[in-house]
Amino acid sequence: MYLTKEEVKAIEEFNADGPLEKAKDLFLLGIYTGQRQSDWRKADWTRIKTIGSTKVLVITQQKTAQIAALPVSPKLEKLLHKYSGGWPSLSIQKLNRRIKELCKKAGIDHTVTITEHRGGKATELTGKKYEFISSHTARRTFATNAILAGIPASEVMKFTGHRTLSAFMQYIRTTAQEAAILYAEHPFFS
């Protein structure tokens, strides 16, 4: 499960307040950085390196000790300014509940069918898209949209901190139809 650019925009434009605003900002932080939830809160001004005129966020990931580096987008910079005093504290359970509520209110409520693999068995589940969205969707959204934007997988892996292509490819959630549309104008199909 990932969010399209249009769905991310719907979240960005949704006017949230109180606890929902905090969940929205944390979720967008994950979408803008491509990091695991355990590393989101590491994004602060102390980890920004200025190289020439480019600001780069450098994070040593908790799970793998891998160093991830990515350019600081204007949207990420705006969030960093907003939370220069520290990121909101929300348990992962509360965050995931609020992310679902946020996505529902932002109109990400169409019916989807996903395949879940457990114990070597594949099961199809159908429901509203927001029901399947969690904090980890942010990382998949970053990776998938970066690939769809034409950034080579080897470079996106540097942003996300993935070491192997096989591990990284588990994050790419494009469908066959999305691939067909994306490459319809490619010279190969002319």
Side-chain angles (χ1 to χ4, degrees):
M1 182 68 53
Y2 84 102
L3 300 175
T4 64
K5 290 189 309 183
E6 294 77 20
E7 290 168 332
V8 172
K9 186 174 182 179
I11 291 170
E12 290 169 337
E13 293 175 351
F14 179 74
N15 189 14
D17 58 2
L20 208 52
E21 179 184 18
K22 293 174 184 176
K24 171 187 168 180
D25 290 344
L26 286 172
F27 191 48
L28 288 173
L29 176 62
I31 290 171
Y32 298 159
T33 64
Q35 300 304 303
R36 290 175 192 86
Q37 185 269 339
S38 59
D39 295 318
W40 291 354
R41 291 170 184 17
K42 292 180 182 178
D44 63 31
W45 291 108
T46 66
R47 297 177 197 275
I48 305 293
K49 311 294 180 220
T50 303
I51 304 166
S53 61
T54 304
K55 293 177 184 170
V56 177
L57 174 64
V58 180
I59 293 177
T60 302
Q61 296 178 328
Q62 180 178 317
K63 182 177 177 181
T64 62
Q66 185 78 5
I67 295 175
L70 66 144
V72 176
S73 69
K75 292 176 182 180
L76 176 57
E77 188 166 7
K78 184 177 176 181
L79 268 182
L80 288 169
H81 281 295
K82 182 175 180 178
Y83 289 99
S84 61
W87 296 104
S89 179
L90 280 175
S91 71
I92 192 67
Q93 295 84 5
K94 283 184 182 177
L95 177 61
N96 281 328
R97 277 195 305 272
R98 289 183 183 150
I99 287 171
K100 288 175 186 357
E101 179 184 352
L102 168 69
C103 290
K104 180 180 180 181
K105 289 182 175 183
I108 305 169
D109 59 359
H110 58 282
T111 301
V112 296
T113 299
I114 65 165
T115 303
E116 185 175 83
H117 298 275
R118 287 194 184 175
K121 291 187 178 186
T123 305
E124 283 194 350
L125 302 171
T126 300
K128 300 294 186 182
K129 187 168 184 176
Y130 68 84
E131 296 172 331
F132 299 110
I133 296 172
S134 69
S135 60
H136 203 66
T137 305
R139 188 163 163 83
R140 286 190 198 102
T141 296
F142 175 93
T144 302
N145 285 322
I147 292 294
L148 289 173
I151 300 174
S154 60
E155 301 305 314
V156 179
M157 288 171 60
K158 293 173 186 172
F159 304 148
T160 61
H162 284 95
R163 287 187 242 185
T164 66
L165 186 58
S166 62
F168 174 72
M169 292 309 292
Q170 294 175 26
Y171 283 80
I172 307 307
R173 297 295 188 209
T174 57
T175 65
Q177 290 177 352
E178 289 168 326
I181 292 166
L182 181 64
Y183 290 104
E185 302 299 321
H186 193 279
F188 179 81
F189 293 102
S190 297

